[in-house]
Amino acid sequence: MDLYTFCRELPKVELHAHLNGSLSKSTMMELQRYLADSGIRDETNAFTDEFVLGAGDTRTLSDCFQVFSIAHALTCTPEAIEIATCLTLQEFQADGCCYIELRSTPRNTPHMTKEQCVAAILQGIQKSSLQHPMESRLIISINRSSNKDEVEEIADLAIEFHRKQPELVVGIELSGNPTVGEFKMFVPALTRAKLAGLKITLHCGEVCNPKEILEMIEFRPDRIGHAICIHPKYGGTKEIWTALCKSSIPIEVCLTSNVNTKSVPSYDSHHFKLLYDAGLPIAISTDDKGVFATSLSQEYRICADTFNLSKAQIAQLARNACQFVFDTRIRNKIQEHVTEFMNKNNTAI
Ligand code: 5GP
């Protein structure tokens, strides 16, 4: 089996995917049709081409935060959010994903409240589960640009939805422009969510900020995303690198996202190698498959090609990631699924 087919057929778990960053061109077109049919003014037509930050694009991580407004303009009603959820989940399923934790920031728009936004995503997840076998869960996002009241409001929402649907709403996360806000402002809300049973993942080390990175690691989140500026070679310090190594916190690694936003100069120099060689727990993820024109199987393939990993090593990465999913009840079941695939394809180590 060639590497392309192998990575596609390998059962994979996606643990870091932002809904509005994951919209494909065809999903955006479907949403434009829906808005036109509903008589809702859509100003995105001219801009959807700017949504993709491909290889060689001159835009950087800070510019990347502007492109999400294009997706947000399209997912402005409960119906639109539900359509976006269903189509996006369908694409992950078609790419060989067996479990996904989709994440999204609840938004108020002229057509919906934050609560309706979350309910619509959950509706999309439930509808999708009737159509395909992939297991889907939701992580609620807090944007770093939010004020204190908004942060508390989102934590309340996450706790309430988790209480009502613990089988679907499994976590809360901190994302948004990493140069805005201070981690300590989010600690009370995140602590409340943690005590209510939600798992926590934090965007950590996207930019150099050793003090904040150490605070994040010491907070003991259940996972972190990116983890770029941690080792001294990547602008971190010996102290935070040692803290990360001791912590065993699983890391959601997003190769193409980091390269296309110029957070790392190239795939070859990506910190994946450092994390992998140090034996740290890693989950290969897409981040924003629409914005970065990628897929989960493509991320696995790039990883194999760049770092010269065998099919067995790639499959082992996929297998390990099953132990980092927030729905702890399902970890062994999905891991068995990957093991079966490995046995069938003689890639068991
Ligand atoms: P949404 O939460 O609206 O479904 O997805 C888009 C949002 O996810 C963005 O507005 C941003 O807050 C967050 N996001 C997406 N990609 C990244 C990333 O690479 N880094 C950070 N820090 N946040 C991101």
Side-chain angles (χ1 to χ4, degrees):
M1 194 188 289
D2 62 38
L3 187 63
Y4 178 92
T5 313
F6 183 82
C7 291
R8 179 87 184 261
E9 292 192 2
L10 174 67
K12 300 171 287 298
V13 301
E14 170 61 79
L15 301 185
H16 188 134
H18 300 269
L19 173 58
N20 280 290
S22 298
L23 308 187
S24 63
K25 180 90 186 165
S26 69
T27 297
M28 293 181 108
M29 285 167 66
E30 185 66 36
L31 290 169
Q32 285 174 327
R33 271 194 294 273
Y34 154 79
L35 292 182
D37 289 349
S38 314
I40 295 170
R41 209 173 124 103
D42 165 26
E43 289 163 350
T44 60
N45 254 324
F47 303 114
T48 46
D49 286 344
E50 290 173 22
F51 187 62
V52 179
L53 257 90
D57 198 295
T58 52
R59 289 171 290 176
T60 61
L61 180 65
S62 350
D63 303 322
C64 148
F65 293 100
Q66 283 149 23
V67 306
F68 297 111
S69 60
I70 301 170
H72 289 158
L74 291 172
T75 55
C76 58
T77 74
E79 293 79 12
I81 273 277
E82 188 185 318
I83 294 169
T85 305
C86 288
L87 294 177
T88 302
L89 292 179
Q90 223 172 65
E91 288 165 354
F92 275 105
Q93 151 82 32
D95 189 43
C97 219
C98 61
Y99 174 97
I100 182 169
E101 285 167 11
L102 201 59
R103 54 182 75 188
S104 198
T105 324
R107 278 176 301 129
N108 286 333
T109 74
H111 309 282
M112 70 181 173
T113 61
K114 290 189 179 81
E115 193 171 350
Q116 286 171 323
C117 176
V118 176
I121 300 173
L122 292 174
Q123 181 81 8
I125 288 179
Q126 278 167 319
K127 275 197 186 157
S128 300
S129 73
L130 302 174
Q131 283 154 15
H132 47 66
M134 180 179 71
E135 299 273 0
S136 309
R137 306 288 183 267
L138 179 64
I139 295 175
I140 298 207
S141 305
I142 298 176
N143 190 312
R144 291 182 67 116
S145 306
S146 309
N147 65 37
K148 227 169 173 224
D149 289 346
E150 283 168 333
V151 172
E152 294 303 327
E153 187 193 356
I154 303 247
D156 287 342
L157 256 187
I159 292 168
E160 188 52 22
F161 273 100
H162 172 69
R163 198 181 56 74
K164 285 194 282 198
Q165 288 172 286
E167 71 291 353
L168 291 185
V169 181
V170 292
I172 192 161
E173 69 114 18
L174 183 63
S175 55
N177 192 336
T179 62
V180 177
E182 285 189 2
F183 175 61
K184 60 173 185 282
M185 204 267 268
F186 304 97
V187 169
L190 291 170
T191 306
R192 257 183 341 106
K194 192 175 181 168
L195 289 172
L198 285 152
K199 303 273 187 199
I200 314 264
T201 175
L202 305 172
H203 279 61
C204 174
E206 285 177 288
V207 291
C208 293
N209 188 347
K211 183 173 159 280
E212 177 176 281
I213 293 169
L214 189 60
E215 284 167 9
M216 285 183 166
I217 295 172
E218 286 174 348
F219 180 75
R220 300 272 154 209
D222 299 282
R223 294 197 305 256
I224 56 173
H226 299 293
I228 306 166
C229 308
I230 298 195
H231 190 276
K233 244 178 91 179
Y234 291 85
T237 64
K238 225 172 141 184
E239 186 191 11
I240 51 176
W241 171 250
T242 308
L244 177 69
C245 292
K246 279 194 188 147
S247 74
S248 313
I249 299 169
I251 303 157
E252 303 148 2
V253 170
C254 309
L255 295 160
T256 299
S257 160
N258 298 156
V259 172
N260 289 10
T261 57
K262 291 157 207 72
S263 303
V264 299
S266 64
Y267 288 112
D268 286 335
S269 57
H270 195 279
H271 55 291
F272 168 87
K273 173 126 179 65
L274 204 76
L275 304 174
Y276 186 74
D277 289 347
L280 299 185
I282 292 169
I284 299 288
S285 309
T286 55
D287 202 6
D288 299 288
K289 75 174 183 60
V291 175
F292 301 120
T294 191
S295 66
L296 190 54
S297 61
Q298 180 165 307
E299 293 302 296
Y300 272 89
R301 199 168 69 245
I302 290 171
C303 189
D305 277 340
T306 309
F307 303 106
N308 220 354
L309 301 187
S310 66
K311 284 182 188 161
Q313 286 170 312
I314 279 292
Q316 190 59 40
L317 272 173
R319 206 177 103 84
N320 291 346
C322 299
Q323 287 304 322
F324 317 142
V325 312
F326 284 170
D327 186 344
T328 50
R329 301 163 314 161
I330 212 164
R331 285 179 178 171
N332 291 344
K333 184 179 142 196
I334 48 180
Q335 195 165 45
E336 272 166 30
H337 199 45
V338 186
T339 307
E340 247 173 59
F341 175 89
M342 290 167 81
N343 290 337
K344 219 167 86 192
N345 290 281
N346 295 323
T347 47
I349 292 182

